Amino acid sequence: MSVAETALFNPGLFLSEADLPADCIPLPDLLILNQPIASFYVFSRLWNHTNYRICADGGANRLYDMFDGALEAQREAYLPDAIHGDLDSLRDDVRAYYAALGVEVSQDPDQYSTDFGKAMNKISSKHASTTSQRETLILGTLAGRVDQGLGLLHEMIREETRDPLLRLWLFSESSLSFILRSTHNVIRGTASSGLFTENVGLVPVFGPAVITTSGLEWDVMDWETQMGHQVSTSNHIVAEEVHVQANAPILFTVERAPLNAGATVRAWK
């Protein structure tokens, strides 16, 4: 993507109850990491908007365990296409359950890559001939161990750098995070969808950047941002479109509104 192009983002598409637009081809992939799944309702909406679903090693444990108790009858309706990784975290009972139902279980013993990287390689192999933009939704977390959270951000920028056609969306316990590249970025629909709060951060975790914004309560122009210096966290979205011009990749993170069974979410102003 050249700097002259505009990158469009519509974060609400994947959390909406409505079908994805007809031009969303190919459908996104879903990567489930070995971290607690905080909300079945968020999970199920992501699942319904994706075509290929893969668990990174112990992510299969998390998927299986989510259906303990009241949801147990639904477990068989949510079978992943594959479980992939070094398989050192996959429980025997979980492996046996999914394998018996035809789920592919494959092992990559490489100790120089993480289960995230292994799973992404498997996803990429499914799209070897794809020449259009593709999306991967990641169900994970930035909470817990700090080193693992930072490592996940590192792997996200690595994967997007390797494949300019790839866009990653990280759905954590309370936020949605994605990478804005060195271009004019337009984020649409966070207010009207009712799926997000106004709280947003633009964090230069990948290195120093200069940004210009519009649509935020505290907009900036040609603003130098760098970890250890000045960073736009705890900002507020005040417009239907947010524009961010950046000369280097930055992390855009927006807080999700609560999403529960039967809940009605309303747009804020």
Side-chain angles (χ1 to χ4, degrees):
M1 177 180 293
S2 69
V3 174
E5 293 178 329
T6 296
L8 301 177
F9 298 83
N10 192 336
L13 287 178
F14 308 117
L15 291 172
S16 171
E17 291 184 299
D19 292 337
L20 292 179
D23 61 355
C24 191
I25 302 293
L27 287 174
D29 304 299
L30 177 62
L31 171 55
I32 302 172
L33 301 182
N34 186 11
Q35 293 156 352
I37 300 175
S39 168
F40 171 77
Y41 307 107
V42 170
F43 157 80
S44 62
R45 291 192 183 184
L46 299 183
W47 184 279
N48 291 337
H49 289 321
T50 52
N51 180 51
Y52 182 76
R53 298 105 175 191
I54 183 170
C55 297
D57 197 350
N61 300 339
R62 308 292 188 170
L63 177 62
Y64 181 92
D65 290 345
M66 181 178 58
F67 293 99
D68 286 344
L71 294 174
E72 186 171 2
Q74 298 189 55
R75 182 180 283 132
E76 196 169 328
Y78 292 90
L79 297 179
D81 295 281
I83 301 168
H84 186 67
D86 60 17
L87 304 187
D88 64 344
S89 300
L90 180 62
R91 298 200 314 262
D92 290 342
D93 63 316
V94 174
R95 179 172 186 162
Y97 173 81
Y98 285 119
L101 291 170
V103 174
E104 177 190 0
V105 181
S106 54
Q107 184 176 34
D108 181 347
D110 179 21
Q111 293 303 301
Y112 292 94
S113 62
T114 64
D115 287 322
F116 176 91
K118 293 177 174 68
M120 286 303 305
N121 286 338
K122 192 168 183 66
I123 291 173
S124 296
S125 71
K126 301 290 183 182
H127 299 281
S129 61
T130 301
T131 58
S132 58
Q133 181 178 296
R134 58 189 183 85
E135 325 270 352
T136 296
L137 315 183
I138 304 167
L139 196 56
T141 183
L142 292 176
R145 283 174 49 183
V146 172
D147 60 330
Q148 290 185 341
L150 292 174
L152 178 55
L153 296 179
H154 153 73
E155 296 200 85
M156 287 176 63
I157 191 67
R158 181 197 65 204
E159 294 297 326
E160 287 204 9
T161 300
R162 287 179 178 175
D163 185 355
L165 295 176
L166 175 65
R167 180 179 290 174
L168 300 175
W169 304 80
L170 174 61
F171 293 83
S172 53
E173 295 91 337
S174 59
S175 299
L176 169 59
S177 305
F178 48 93
I179 297 169
L180 303 184
R181 301 191 186 186
S182 308
T183 189
H184 174 214
N185 301 275
V186 180
I187 302 93
R188 293 175 173 167
T190 55
S192 61
S193 70
L195 295 166
F196 302 93
T197 76
E198 62 184 4
N199 299 316
V200 66
L202 290 80
V203 190
V205 292
F206 308 115
V210 178
I211 62 174
T212 296
T213 70
S214 66
L216 302 178
E217 184 170 355
W218 296 285
D219 279 322
V220 295
M221 179 174 292
D222 296 330
W223 195 65
E224 296 181 2
T225 179
Q226 181 178 352
M227 301 296 285
H229 293 270
Q230 51 187 8
V231 176
S232 180
T233 58
S234 301
N235 212 325
H236 295 154
I237 297 173
V238 295
E240 181 62 11
E241 285 192 353
V242 174
H243 294 253
V244 182
Q245 180 74 47
N247 73 344
I250 61 171
L251 188 73
F252 185 96
T253 182
V254 59
E255 184 182 36
R256 291 190 287 102
L259 182 62
N260 298 304
T264 300
V265 290
R266 295 183 300 172
W268 39 262
K269 296 181 180 180

